[in-house]
Amino acid sequence: MNIATNNGLAVILGGGNGIGEATARLMQARGWQTAIADKDAEAADRVATDLGATGFEVDISSEASVAALASQVETTLGPVSALVVAAAVFQDIVPTEDLETEVWERILHTNLTGSFLANRIFGKAMLARRRGSIVNIASIAALGSMPAEAYGTSKAAVVHMTQNFAGEWGRSGIRVNAVSPGSTLVSRVARRLQTGRYASDPGDFTALGRIVQPNEVAEAIEFLASERASAITGVNLVVDAGWQVASTWSQFGGVRPAREPE
């Protein structure tokens, strides 16, 4: 089935690399007009040039920067149909007792407050038109205990925030959803695999026996942003190759292929 269509204008925050870049490329291929915004202006411009789109610089931790982006996009490109908030910062894995307050505050401010600012600022224009879709990128770190205290907490709060916005804005025609990727083969993860920074391959703990590809997360994001998901709001769609359902099997020897029929 050909699902490419004229879907409107999508703004991808964090679109200069990783999941955001994969999403920008997929949405452009599916008929969206895209605006790629990133703190790394060169990365945003690189992706935008490849796609024949428009690149912008934005710091989602700054209310003034997000507001300026929203105004510039609406003025130069037109009304925004979809917003994807993929910009985030990560943390080094350290014991919680050694996690510095400054690191905690920086990660929560960028990942949580930044997502809030983007939702609120772009959402206001959507509310005025009574139409729009927002997809926030959370993480499987939001869904259970793991040694990423600040990052996991920030993403858990993003899921809760997403549900709140969805509940409040649904009668005004705005859908708000989240996607929680598992370990995804972006450049940061690839470097950790190559340098042995993981104790084991994250794919060993998934039902599918592999980690997630960026385009697989992008598929979920584009679906939720599109009218194909017109009755879906307030969900957190997990894209983790089955990590949640299989990770606890490690204490029983791990997941295994089904036995061949005799």
Side-chain angles (χ1 to χ4, degrees):
M1 178 177 64
N2 183 6
I3 58 177
T5 184
N6 182 11
N7 290 300
L9 172 61
V11 176
I12 298 96
L13 306 184
N17 59 80
I19 290 170
E21 177 180 353
T23 301
R25 293 184 181 280
L26 178 67
M27 295 187 85
Q28 185 85 7
R30 291 275 165 83
W32 295 84
Q33 179 187 9
T34 55
I36 293 91
D38 203 288
K39 190 173 183 179
D40 183 341
E42 290 186 3
D45 287 340
R46 171 183 59 81
V47 176
T49 298
D50 284 350
L51 298 178
T54 309
F56 299 89
E57 182 176 3
V58 68
D59 178 0
I60 68 163
S61 68
S62 163
E63 182 170 4
S65 180
V66 177
L69 172 68
S71 176
Q72 188 176 9
V73 168
E74 294 259 344
T75 300
T76 60
L77 298 179
V80 176
S81 298
L83 172 70
V84 177
V85 186
V89 292
F90 302 91
Q91 71 171 96
D92 291 331
I93 304 303
V94 298
T96 301
E97 62 269 23
D98 295 331
L99 181 63
E100 297 179 357
T101 303
E102 183 276 330
V103 174
W104 168 272
E105 291 179 342
R106 176 175 59 85
I107 290 173
L108 262 72
H109 182 75
T110 301
N111 295 355
L112 175 56
T113 304
S115 295
F116 167 77
L117 292 171
N119 279 242
R120 188 191 68 190
I121 291 169
F122 278 89
K124 282 184 177 181
M126 293 179 179
L127 289 169
R129 293 187 289 268
R130 301 186 69 82
R131 181 179 177 84
S133 177
I134 298 173
V135 183
N136 296 308
I137 311 308
S139 168
I140 57 167
L143 306 178
S145 174
M146 62 177 60
E149 184 70 32
Y151 181 74
T153 300
S154 72
K155 291 300 189 177
V158 165
V159 172
H160 186 78
M161 181 198 75
T162 296
Q163 294 169 339
N164 284 347
F165 275 127
E168 186 170 7
W169 288 355
R171 298 292 178 93
S172 299
I174 314 302
R175 295 186 301 106
V176 189
N177 292 291
V179 171
S180 280
S183 292
T184 304
L185 196 59
V186 296
S187 57
R188 173 180 54 86
V189 172
R191 287 194 299 270
R192 289 184 172 183
L193 287 169
Q194 292 166 359
T195 58
R197 290 185 62 188
Y198 288 121
S200 58
D201 188 328
D204 292 343
F205 300 95
T206 69
L208 299 182
R210 62 176 179 83
I211 63 176
V212 181
Q213 297 295 323
N215 67 293
E216 294 175 311
V217 184
E219 287 280 359
I221 295 168
E222 194 275 333
F223 167 69
L224 288 175
S226 76
E227 285 300 308
R228 306 194 312 282
S230 57
I232 301 175
T233 194
V235 307
N236 177 36
L237 180 55
V238 178
V239 184
D240 67 350
W243 177 85
Q244 271 195 302
V245 297
S247 58
T248 54
W249 286 53
S250 59
Q251 63 182 311
F252 303 103
V255 293
R256 56 175 176 75
R259 190 169 56 205
E260 292 290 333
E262 296 180 357

